[in-house]
Amino acid sequence: MAAPLASKAGSAGTTSKPPFPELDFRSGARFDNWNKTIILSVVISNEKEKHKKRERKNSRGKKTPKPLFLSFAGMVQKLDQKLPVANEYLLLSGGVREGVVDIDLDELNVYARGTDYDMDFTLLVPALKLHDRNQPVTLDMRHSALCHSWLSLRLFDEGTISKWKDCCTIVDHINGATNYFFSPTKVADWFYDSISIVLSEIQKKPQRGMPKVEKVEKNGTIISIILGVGSSRMLYDIVPVVSFKGWPAVAQSWLMENHFWDGKITEEEVISGFYLVPACSYKGKKDNEWRLSFARSEVQLKKCISSSLMQAYQACKAIIIKLLSRPKAISPYHLRSMMLWACDRLPANYLAQEDYAAHFLLGLIDDLQHCLVNKMCPNYFIPQCNMLEHLSEETVMLHARKLSSVRSDPAEHLRTAIEHVKAANRLTLELQRRGSTTSIPSPQSDGGDTNQPDDRLAKKLQQLVTENPGKSISVFINPDDVTRPHFRIDDKFF
């Protein structure tokens, strides 16, 4: 809420008063100053790009390491032929803790930028694919909460069932038929075991150009790997998923509504596919229940969000990721959903204002506080699913009070977030100056520096994500044909 501007036009024969600066009524902060602070926070968050450019110059002429996806994922594919051949993996900038996918954070170990890693990504790895459907996909939601589903292998052929039987829960029906339900927990266990075997083999026969494994951990159903690639430490949160082409029937009504992206991108781009990710509802059965994820659609929708609103979102995320971390109830994914709802609610010409980042940040804080007080945050694609329904009154009011303190002095909280980012950047630079990429060695790491790879691959991946905002970056893996292009941005291969 802003104080009204004084009239610029004075009456004849009188001296007009200079206009008051635009102020936030609640905190008294000046919007012009605060816009600069928000832009500064985004610049500092991306400060590492400068270091990468410098390192890129230093690494010229060195041998580019073998793509780690072909090295790791390809070996997992060949291990027991469970994964689809010529698989398509979606690479997202930011780890699971950054809210790039809707997965609960309470089972994830805490990693800190600067201390544990320098760059983070999320890699969605399809364990199963259903890509031959030209009609809305109907899922088995009889046993699940909204936005969740069980997955019966009856949808697949006998060969697929035979491969994945050991990763299923079995339900016998009265008529004597046996139904195999794909288990997210068992799939995650299998994937972690497979990656561990692959990494162990790599350590036995190290090859030049291979990244150094710093840490491998299973966080619930997520496998987190930190790789030392030259002077960069890259965190990969690997998520085993089920990939679908098309659109789920449960979200079909959402397509009938008006949205901010209408006319900017095609419906075909938005509904090109969705996933089931290994995440259970709070009352569901962990061994059977998957959560619907629209990560591919969200990448497309990001194209239609103004830069000033994205700046406000990044700044707000930096504030809440620290302030609301205990107890773990609010994630950046909730904030992302609220931003998408705001885009539908507010006029496009208003959201396009380049110098309104401060207005938008205060609006996001207000929206988040409103959602907490009312314990209501609808999923953007399935609005009937309330993502805060499970929270206790005590938890939501605790977070609402914390946000109230932010709203009273948002500039101070943003400055604190900026200092955290600066400290992480300083720590990264210090570790790089010492020539160290090691935090806590994993059992797979021998601690040696023999054949330490350069970090051109790390920079290439970050460059792809940075230079192609709002685009779908996929990685194709075919262990039997490594000559084909591996990266795709939207529909362009290279």
Side-chain angles (χ1 to χ4, degrees):
M1 186 180 296
L5 298 178
S7 174
K8 293 182 179 180
S11 58
T14 63
T15 303
S16 61
K17 296 181 180 180
F20 287 115
E22 195 173 8
L23 303 177
D24 171 39
F25 188 90
R26 177 71 184 90
S27 66
R30 285 180 54 165
F31 279 112
D32 53 352
N33 290 338
W34 219 44
N35 275 319
K36 296 175 185 176
T37 305
I38 293 172
I39 294 172
L40 175 63
S41 72
V42 177
V43 169
I44 291 175
S45 295
N46 296 328
E47 194 175 80
K48 56 183 178 292
E49 293 301 320
K50 299 177 183 177
H51 310 313
K52 291 175 194 168
K53 289 180 181 178
R54 183 174 65 249
E55 290 169 3
R56 191 175 296 119
K57 292 180 181 178
N58 296 334
S59 65
R60 285 176 183 169
K62 294 181 180 179
K63 182 180 177 181
T64 303
K66 184 180 179 182
L68 61 94
F69 299 107
L70 290 178
S71 301
F72 292 174
M75 290 178 71
V76 171
Q77 282 177 318
K78 286 191 170 183
L79 202 59
D80 53 13
Q81 285 77 49
K82 274 190 161 89
L83 293 181
V85 177
N87 212 356
E88 181 182 357
Y89 298 6
L90 183 63
L91 178 69
L92 302 170
S93 178
V96 169
R97 296 157 190 80
E98 293 290 312
V100 296
V101 287
D102 183 17
I103 290 182
D104 310 315
L105 305 181
D106 54 353
E107 292 185 333
L108 302 183
N109 292 340
V110 177
Y111 298 149
R113 187 185 298 274
T115 304
D116 300 299
Y117 65 92
D118 306 312
M119 293 176 281
D120 54 337
F121 300 91
T122 296
L123 189 65
L124 303 187
V125 180
L128 291 175
K129 297 193 300 182
L130 270 175
H131 279 195
D132 56 351
R133 303 287 172 133
N134 295 317
Q135 57 187 5
V137 180
T138 302
L139 298 169
D140 187 354
M141 298 181 167
R142 295 170 297 170
H143 317 285
S144 305
L146 276 170
C147 214
H148 296 79
S149 177
W150 290 22
L151 182 67
S152 171
L153 289 194
R154 284 181 176 177
L155 297 171
F156 300 86
D157 55 54
E158 287 298 325
T160 301
I161 295 175
S162 177
K163 283 182 185 178
W164 287 104
K165 270 185 181 180
D166 56 340
C167 290
C168 293
T169 58
I170 301 173
V171 177
D172 293 321
H173 293 280
I174 299 176
N175 60 9
T178 299
N179 203 347
Y180 295 92
F181 287 101
F182 207 43
S183 169
T185 53
K186 292 184 178 182
V187 170
D189 289 342
W190 164 82
F191 199 60
Y192 176 72
D193 291 342
S194 298
I195 287 181
S196 298
I197 292 172
V198 165
L199 293 179
S200 177
E201 290 299 316
I202 289 174
Q203 289 301 125
K204 290 178 183 177
K205 300 177 181 179
Q207 299 178 16
R208 181 176 178 80
M210 288 297 298
K212 182 179 179 181
V213 180
E214 304 286 353
K215 185 180 294 187
V216 182
E217 290 186 338
K218 186 169 177 290
N219 292 276
T221 54
I222 309 303
I223 294 89
S224 297
I225 301 178
I226 297 178
L227 300 176
V229 186
S231 59
S232 299
R233 296 161 301 163
M234 304 172 68
L235 166 63
Y236 286 90
D237 284 325
I238 303 178
V239 186
V241 300
V242 181
S243 175
F244 291 86
K245 187 175 182 179
W247 200 247
V250 68
Q252 199 70 21
S253 60
W254 177 80
L255 295 175
M256 304 295 106
E257 305 294 333
N258 294 324
H259 297 290
F260 72 98
W261 47 268
D262 293 335
K264 299 176 182 177
I265 54 177
T266 65
E267 185 174 287
E268 287 72 21
E269 290 176 282
V270 175
I271 65 172
S272 61
F274 69 100
Y275 300 98
L276 295 181
V277 296
C280 181
S281 65
Y282 286 86
K283 293 183 179 179
K285 189 174 181 181
K286 286 190 174 184
D287 287 343
N288 282 29
E289 197 170 80
W290 299 77
R291 182 173 296 163
L292 275 74
S293 170
F294 301 90
R296 189 178 292 278
S297 300
E298 289 162 354
V299 169
Q300 298 298 323
L301 297 184
K302 189 178 177 183
K303 299 177 184 178
C304 307
I305 299 176
S306 69
S307 59
S308 52
L309 181 55
M310 283 304 302
Q311 288 173 353
Y313 165 75
Q314 294 292 346
C316 192
K317 184 173 74 170
I319 292 173
I320 71 165
I321 211 163
K322 293 288 184 183
L323 185 72
L324 305 184
S325 60
R326 295 288 184 275
K328 290 180 180 177
I330 297 295
S331 80
Y333 189 83
H334 293 103
L335 184 65
R336 177 184 292 200
S337 300
M338 284 180 274
M339 177 177 64
L340 293 174
W341 281 118
C343 290
D344 274 356
R345 185 178 71 243
L346 297 167
N349 57 354
Y350 169 73
L351 293 175
Q353 296 296 314
E354 293 183 359
D355 57 349
Y356 268 40
H359 299 73
F360 300 153
L361 175 54
L362 295 180
L364 289 173
I365 294 172
D366 289 342
D367 264 9
L368 182 54
Q369 191 168 22
H370 175 83
C371 288
L372 284 167
V373 169
N374 292 278
K375 209 169 75 169
M376 172 64 71
C377 181
N379 181 283
Y380 182 66
F381 300 93
I382 306 178
Q384 59 270 37
C385 173
N386 176 14
M387 296 189 292
L388 300 183
E389 185 178 19
H390 63 281
L391 297 180
S392 68
E393 296 292 337
E394 181 183 6
T395 297
V396 294
M397 291 312 297
L398 171 64
H399 285 323
R401 283 193 292 271
K402 289 181 179 179
L403 279 177
S404 179
S405 69
V406 174
R407 193 61 182 82
S408 298
D409 193 358
E412 178 59 32
H413 284 84
L414 186 56
R415 281 192 290 269
T416 301
I418 290 174
E419 289 306 315
H420 279 295
V421 176
K422 283 183 175 179
N425 287 339
R426 286 194 297 268
L427 183 55
T428 295
L429 287 174
E430 178 61 29
L431 289 173
Q432 289 176 348
R433 276 195 292 266
R434 288 191 232 158
S436 169
T437 63
T438 303
S439 52
I440 301 174
S442 70
Q444 290 86 358
S445 175
D446 60 4
D449 292 324
T450 305
N451 294 332
Q452 182 69 12
D454 65 63
D455 52 355
R456 290 175 63 186
L457 176 61
K459 295 174 176 59
K460 183 64 176 177
L461 291 176
Q462 186 65 38
Q463 183 183 5
L464 286 176
V465 176
T466 303
E467 293 179 355
N468 296 278
K471 293 187 178 180
S472 174
I473 300 178
S474 304
V475 183
F476 284 83
I477 305 296
N478 186 346
D480 298 319
D481 181 9
V482 297
T483 62
R484 298 183 62 191
H486 305 303
F487 292 101
R488 183 184 77 173
I489 298 179
D490 286 342
D491 293 323
K492 182 180 178 182
F493 291 87
F494 64 98

